[in-house]
Amino acid sequence: MKKSLFLFLSIASIAVLNLNTFGQSLTEFKEVDKFKLSDYNVKVYFKDPLLELIKTYPDFDGKENQIKHKLLSDYLFHNSLYIFQISKKKEVQKNYELFGNPQKLRERNYFNLNVLKPDGTLEKSIDKVNLGGRFFEHMVLFQSERGKQAVGKGVQIWGYFDKIEPYETFKNRITDLIKMDIENSIPDDLLAKKMAPIEPLFDYQKFGLSHVKGRKLTITVLQYDSFGNVKNKYPRIESDENLYLSSTSKELIWVMAFPFFSAQDSSIQNENRIKVSSKLENINHYLKDINVTINPTTKQVERILGKLIIHSYSSEGHSTSDVLYQAEFAAIGEFTLPKTIKYCALDDKEFKRPTLTIEVEYELK
């Protein structure tokens, strides 16, 4: 295995580049590529998120690492990164804008590709673009010889490892989508559709949506010795300011931390236990055999038990395994909310040796 490349990057020393523009809609973009596609000419423009953040926050280089990552993520979810412009006989036909979709807050591939008419109006939005990332080849950080060596690799930036996304990956995917659009052959299931909000099944969900302003998750991976004693702990902290988008995402940690069931789900109650069979894709991807315990006096949720589905991917393909899942609730304000989440081996029915724990702190409105 090759050694990961470590970069210690200072943004303060970066000079703001003289960015070329191409028309009013491409102000602050830089032309980074051009090529032929059938009888079309394609020009590619890139807007560097880091340069934009430096303009907005002159003290950006001095901010804490966690704040830098948050500012960068917020920017990427609300702005365009690349624009592929196709023209014929010097007349612009369409712009293809790679734009962050804030509805995909917890998804790895969060970009949409907006297809824009020459006047800038939206013709359609392609949802399943399968592109994401936080650091990209055309960023000014990676234009030096040392920076270019990091492209396509895992690099430590601001205390975290991130892959520097190669432009070729983006070019190939977007070019394929442009070809389909030119041929009017984009499958309907790739296009963005307006999704109705999921109506909550339980009161804790309704309370969370109306009262939770933010959350801090302390996620700890635990290792044990042969005697069952904790040998190593690997904690990390994640923060969240949109409970609905996080909980309805397809990201494991956020589904575990606040299971968001639908009012359309099947639920069968037997005394103080409710067995839930969900119709939601994200829940079914990670949880099964779900049983919810209700306090007989307060009627509020005390605990959720089930099995967590662990997905593994390798050169041999996709496989799954099950572990036990438990979410213990605690009083937060007027309601109970998930407070301590654990998963452990199937034979550890008392959850004495969890492999992973999540402790949740809530900030109420």
Side-chain angles (χ1 to χ4, degrees), residues 155-252:
V155 177
Q156 189 185 56
I157 303 180
W158 308 331
Y160 294 86
F161 278 94
D162 273 295
K163 179 184 176 183
I164 313 307
E165 303 293 340
Y167 165 64
E168 197 70 17
T169 302
F170 285 69
K171 178 179 180 178
N172 291 341
R173 177 57 177 159
I174 295 172
T175 301
D176 286 344
L177 291 170
I178 292 174
K179 288 178 183 176
M180 284 191 280
D181 185 51
I182 292 172
E183 297 167 357
N184 293 314
S185 63
I186 297 178
D188 187 62
D189 63 352
L190 294 189
L191 298 177
K193 300 175 181 64
K194 189 173 182 180
M195 302 295 290
I198 300 170
E199 185 181 350
L201 176 61
F202 292 107
D203 285 342
Y204 78 83
Q205 297 170 244
K206 299 175 184 177
F207 178 82
L209 291 179
S210 60
H211 288 78
V212 172
K213 181 179 180 181
R215 293 179 293 171
K216 183 175 82 170
L217 276 61
T218 302
I219 304 154
T220 305
V221 176
L222 299 105
Q223 293 180 339
Y224 300 85
D225 60 24
S226 57
F227 298 101
N229 300 314
V230 175
K231 181 173 64 174
N232 292 307
K233 288 185 177 182
Y234 302 97
R236 77 176 194 270
I237 293 175
E238 298 279 357
S239 59
D240 165 62
E241 295 177 351
N242 195 313
L243 184 146
Y244 178 80
L245 291 180
S246 294
S247 301
T248 57
S249 73
K250 295 179 182 177
E251 189 168 314
L252 172 64

Side-chain angles (χ1 to χ4, degrees), residues 77-78 100-107 110 127 195 242 244-246 248-249:
F77 275 106
H78 294 89
N101 182 352
Q103 299 299 313
K104 299 179 182 178
L105 182 64
R106 296 298 170 190
E107 296 185 27
Y110 60 88
D127 181 53
M195 302 295 290
N242 195 313
Y244 178 80
L245 291 180
S246 294
T248 57
S249 73

Side-chain angles (χ1 to χ4, degrees), residues 2 12 55 115 137 150 155 157 282 291 299 326 353 358 360 365:
K2 291 183 179 179
K55 293 177 189 176
V115 183
E137 178 176 346
V155 177
I157 303 180
N282 66 326
N291 284 281
K299 307 301 181 184
Q326 174 181 268
R353 296 173 60 183
I358 304 173
V360 188
K365 296 177 183 178

Side-chain angles (χ1 to χ4, degrees), residues 26-242:
L26 295 176
T27 302
E28 307 303 331
F29 281 79
K30 178 184 178 182
E31 184 180 329
V32 292
D33 192 16
K34 58 184 177 182
F35 58 94
K36 292 282 292 185
L37 180 61
S38 186
D39 56 347
Y40 292 90
N41 293 309
V42 183
K43 288 187 176 182
V44 183
Y45 299 89
F46 176 78
K47 182 159 65 173
D48 194 325
L50 294 181
L51 293 180
E52 296 303 308
L53 287 171
I54 292 170
K55 293 177 189 176
T56 306
Y57 305 97
D59 62 339
F60 185 83
D61 190 50
K63 292 184 181 295
E64 295 181 2
N65 287 341
Q66 192 171 357
I67 294 175
K68 290 178 184 176
H69 278 289
K70 183 179 186 307
L71 290 174
L72 178 59
S73 292
D74 288 346
Y75 176 91
L76 290 169
F77 275 106
H78 294 89
N79 290 277
S80 54
L81 186 71
Y82 284 101
I83 289 179
F84 284 60
Q85 184 178 81
I86 66 170
S87 60
K88 186 185 293 185
K89 296 180 180 179
K90 298 185 179 180
E91 184 175 338
V92 174
Q93 304 296 309
K94 289 184 182 181
N95 286 318
Y96 295 84
E97 176 190 37
L98 192 69
F99 199 94
N101 182 352
Q103 299 299 313
K104 299 179 182 178
L105 182 64
R106 296 298 170 190
E107 296 185 27
R108 170 73 178 89
N109 296 320
Y110 60 88
F111 282 115
N112 277 27
L113 188 66
N114 295 331
V115 183
L116 306 174
K117 298 176 183 178
D119 63 1
T121 58
L122 181 67
E123 179 181 295
K124 62 176 74 76
S125 182
I126 302 172
D127 181 53
K128 295 181 180 178
V129 182
N130 297 326
L131 293 173
R134 287 199 288 187
F135 294 91
F136 309 91
E137 178 176 346
H138 284 121
M139 283 178 166
V140 68
L141 289 178
F142 311 109
Q143 302 313 300
S144 67
E145 281 305 311
R146 190 181 183 192
K148 289 176 181 177
Q149 293 173 22
V151 174
K153 298 177 182 178
V155 177
Q156 189 185 56
I157 303 180
W158 308 331
Y160 294 86
F161 278 94
D162 273 295
K163 179 184 176 183
I164 313 307
E165 303 293 340
Y167 165 64
E168 197 70 17
T169 302
F170 285 69
K171 178 179 180 178
N172 291 341
R173 177 57 177 159
I174 295 172
T175 301
D176 286 344
L177 291 170
I178 292 174
K179 288 178 183 176
M180 284 191 280
D181 185 51
I182 292 172
E183 297 167 357
N184 293 314
S185 63
I186 297 178
D188 187 62
D189 63 352
L190 294 189
L191 298 177
K193 300 175 181 64
K194 189 173 182 180
M195 302 295 290
I198 300 170
E199 185 181 350
L201 176 61
F202 292 107
D203 285 342
Y204 78 83
Q205 297 170 244
K206 299 175 184 177
F207 178 82
L209 291 179
S210 60
H211 288 78
V212 172
K213 181 179 180 181
R215 293 179 293 171
K216 183 175 82 170
L217 276 61
T218 302
I219 304 154
T220 305
V221 176
L222 299 105
Q223 293 180 339
Y224 300 85
D225 60 24
S226 57
F227 298 101
N229 300 314
V230 175
K231 181 173 64 174
N232 292 307
K233 288 185 177 182
Y234 302 97
R236 77 176 194 270
I237 293 175
E238 298 279 357
S239 59
D240 165 62
E241 295 177 351
N242 195 313

